[in-house]
Amino acid sequence: MNKNTFCLLLILILTSSGNLFSRDSNYSATTEPAKTTERNNNLTKITENRHTKEGIHIIEEMNRLRSNDVHSEGKKILELQKKLEYIEHNSITRTEDTDGLRFSDNIQQYTGQNQTDAITISQIYSTYNSYIKSIATQVEQTNPGLGTIWVAFAVGKLDSGAGATADTVLLFRSTNNGTSYNLYSRIAANPGYKVSNDEMDMEIIEHSSQKFVYLTLGFTTAGYTGLYRSTLIVYDIINNISSNLTINFPGISASSKYYRPRITSDNARYPNEAFVTFSLIQDSTDGLNHFYLTKFCRILDPYTISPAITYMPNAVYLPLIYSPFSSTVHCDVAFYNTGAVTTGDSIIFVISGYPGYTDYIFIYKARSNVMEYPHIAKILTENSHEKQFARIASNGGDDQKKMLMVFVENYVSGSFYSSSLYSYSTTDANTWTKSLILGAGLIFNIKNPDVIGQRNLQGKFYTAYKIDTPLMDFVSSSGYNDLSRISGVFNHNNTGGKSYASPKPAFRFNNSDSCLTLWSSASSLQSSCGCSSINLGFRFYIQGLYDSALNTPKYDLVTVYLRNSTAPFAKVDSAKGYSSTAFSFLNANFGTYYVSVVHRNSIETWYFQTLHVTYFGSYDLDMYSLSSKAYGSNLIKVDNSPPAFAVISGDINQDGSVNLSDVIRTFNDAATFVSGYVVTDVNGDNITNLNDVIIVYNNSTAFAHVIKP
């Protein structure tokens, strides 16, 4: 299938526009209680927690100190934990050595504002010879520094092997609600060390006099051919010092792979004495078989750049053997409280994509104040479709049981494939409800969604995700109040192009804690402020790309403009996307506009009348069923049954008309059989030939040209 003019068949507008574009929409049409199952296997056989009488007394004393929420108790709690380990031998606490990363001040950066048409993009960083591979972000919650945005990301080349160029981890911050960002730290890895794509997560641990950014990431040695490891980088942002620690679970071997680390904390519940918990996936391969495990560890005194890490040496469940190596298995973690003091504090583990069980999402729970193994709490399932990339978020504070989980569901049947985005939500940390966010699309993939909860605000969440298509990536997001979706942006990526890293959601302290989306193109990192845009569903055909024999259109990238409704009808905002899909206008205010569409080798065409738009409205425009749907009826009929009209093709040089210069340019390319995604390939078959010349010639003899107010 041609990359440039493939038949996209985006059903997403037809299946989810009511949820995506409507202000008052909720999940009532697609919401259903989650089905659960009881299935006995190694994933339900968990490690037992056993405590001695003396150990129980130590745990009670740790909980008493924790309930005080006094900033100086962390070291006492840590010492009690070490005493408990000496008695019961259930965990191992140690301080890890720095490994694999080094500090450097050399950087190539760009910070500032870039303006294209009516779209304003806050650009954090840009490079010309490397790529953005992974992103993480958090926002400070207390003074001093309330609202400061921290953004970490990995930059590197795409080479591989032992001699591969080392990746770099950059940390930027914004003190003006995301208007501009400044470099804070640069860490360059050793030669051959590569940060794994989309394996980066961040927490901010803060007390009024101490603040730390905790960044965990996955990396490989020898340019993806060596070890799989996870690193914890700790930044003391008050004293401006840093350290990095390689996570080494007991019994680590060179053949074991550690990947997909995730991190959470209870800092919202305990502002003075936080605990940090993070999990990862371990593949204990013997070179032939693969034993997939979920491991976790905890930091009980995180107010230092060299914290002691308490490891749980065993896995959450008994391992299963699968081959070959799987990159789909994933575990995410979140903290929540059920209202009780210390005994109501819990950590929830969500496991998805497990080989052999990809149609299930497994939920485990553990007390967060005790170093114990979690128990299996729920298995979510309702069909045989693959469920991957499950991420969960809570609001973190006292008696905050509402949580939101997002995940990708893939349906495969023979050659048929579709990808959808769903959520599971809960109000009691027990009963879950499934909802459709973005519904089944063909040929595109939804990649690595992520979700964040606003601290201490029950039910307030924000999620961001990437829709991967052949010519560009759509960066989408949705905002929630009280677990109901109230806003959405179909596409933040009005610069077009592809990316390697998936976007990250955050909340900024501006306009009632509005949304923040961090997203990348291949070699630059952008920041989108705000929760909503003007989303416009616009369906139209392009003459050269319509197959009248099959009654089907092909699709290509276009730019749609909002224009002032009065002369001289200046461009106000623009959006890039595929014809017959959704377009997001990020900067236009609500009001009345003309709408026009520009395609690379077609006549610019205007919608027949003005359109009044608001941020949360639902707008689905049709410019194919009647010629009168275009201003001046400036469409050409491309099908008799069913009747269909299309934007006129052939304006190769985009001067507003199809004329002799367009014919000559197309003829010259056809004479040498120019191929590829070229402007003279009018019918989208990846080669310029007589068929393209005929289309351009016929429209030139009809004097096709732009018709506008």
Side-chain angles (χ1 to χ4, degrees), residues 150-165:
W150 293 88
V151 181
F153 54 99
V155 180
K157 299 182 184 299
L158 300 182
D159 52 350
S160 60
T165 307

Side-chain angles (χ1 to χ4, degrees), residues 233 263 283 288 353 374 494 509 534 543 579 597 611 624 651 698:
I233 305 175
I263 189 169
D283 172 19
L288 178 63
N494 276 324
F509 281 47
I534 296 171
Q543 177 193 3
S579 49
V597 58
L611 179 71
Y624 71 94
D651 186 6
N698 287 340

Side-chain angles (χ1 to χ4, degrees), residues 108-385:
Q108 177 186 8
Q109 64 166 311
Y110 172 86
T111 302
Q113 299 291 319
N114 177 35
Q115 200 168 51
T116 304
D117 292 329
I119 299 299
T120 299
I121 300 168
S122 294
Q123 189 173 65
I124 300 173
Y125 174 87
S126 180
T127 183
Y128 298 98
N129 56 2
S130 297
Y131 303 92
I132 310 297
K133 302 175 64 179
S134 195
I135 308 168
T137 184
Q138 283 289 338
V139 180
E140 290 185 47
Q141 305 290 314
T142 63
N143 277 313
L146 176 70
T148 298
I149 301 166
W150 293 88
V151 181
F153 54 99
V155 180
K157 299 182 184 299
L158 300 182
D159 52 350
S160 60
T165 307
D167 285 350
T168 301
V169 177
L170 302 173
L171 182 66
F172 278 71
R173 68 177 173 182
S174 172
T175 58
N176 54 13
N177 283 302
T179 300
S180 61
Y181 294 79
N182 296 303
L183 177 67
Y184 179 83
S185 171
R186 178 185 190 271
I187 300 178
N190 289 338
Y193 280 49
K194 294 288 190 179
V195 176
S196 302
N197 281 42
D198 288 329
E199 289 196 20
M200 187 177 283
D201 200 14
M202 182 190 293
E203 275 289 309
I204 289 183
I205 311 300
E206 51 187 332
H207 172 70
S208 59
S209 61
Q210 292 178 291
K211 294 197 176 191
F212 296 82
V213 170
Y214 271 66
L215 178 69
T216 185
L217 57 91
F219 69 94
T220 62
T221 64
Y224 306 108
T225 64
L227 305 176
Y228 284 63
R229 293 293 180 259
S230 294
T231 283
L232 175 66
I233 305 175
V234 183
Y235 302 89
D236 181 339
I237 57 179
I238 297 294
N239 297 305
N240 297 320
I241 54 176
S242 309
S243 69
N244 56 282
L245 313 169
T246 297
I247 306 304
N248 289 313
F249 278 84
I252 188 172
S253 67
S255 61
S256 293
K257 297 180 178 180
Y258 294 90
Y259 58 109
R260 296 209 166 181
R262 296 288 287 179
I263 189 169
T264 190
S265 79
D266 53 16
N267 200 188
R269 175 74 171 83
Y270 296 97
N272 296 315
E273 200 59 68
F275 284 177
V276 176
T277 302
F278 55 97
S279 69
L280 50 72
I281 301 300
Q282 175 183 333
D283 172 19
S284 293
T285 180
D286 58 11
L288 178 63
N289 299 304
H290 296 268
F291 303 83
Y292 299 102
L293 312 171
T294 295
K295 294 285 193 71
F296 76 99
C297 52
R298 190 167 291 159
I299 297 175
L300 307 182
D301 184 24
Y303 298 91
T304 171
I305 61 169
S306 300
I309 302 175
T310 300
Y311 293 94
M312 300 301 286
N314 296 324
V316 171
Y317 45 79
L318 300 183
L320 293 170
I321 303 175
Y322 286 96
S323 291
F325 173 70
S326 172
S327 61
T328 62
V329 60
H330 178 70
C331 177
D332 198 19
V333 291
F335 167 86
Y336 69 96
N337 174 268
T338 59
V341 178
T342 66
T343 56
D345 296 331
S346 298
I347 294 290
I348 185 169
F349 298 79
V350 174
I351 298 172
S352 61
Y354 201 97
Y357 299 92
T358 57
D359 51 336
Y360 293 85
I361 294 178
F362 297 87
I363 296 178
Y364 298 79
K365 295 178 181 178
R367 291 190 293 173
S368 71
N369 285 310
V370 182
M371 290 305 300
E372 292 183 345
Y373 292 98
H375 66 276
I376 183 73
K378 194 81 69 175
I379 304 176
L380 302 177
T381 183
E382 75 293 324
N383 55 44
S384 60
H385 303 167

Side-chain angles (χ1 to χ4, degrees), residues 678-689:
V678 294
V679 71
T680 52
D681 175 26
V682 180
N683 66 358
D685 62 0
N686 259 14
I687 188 169
T688 304
N689 53 29

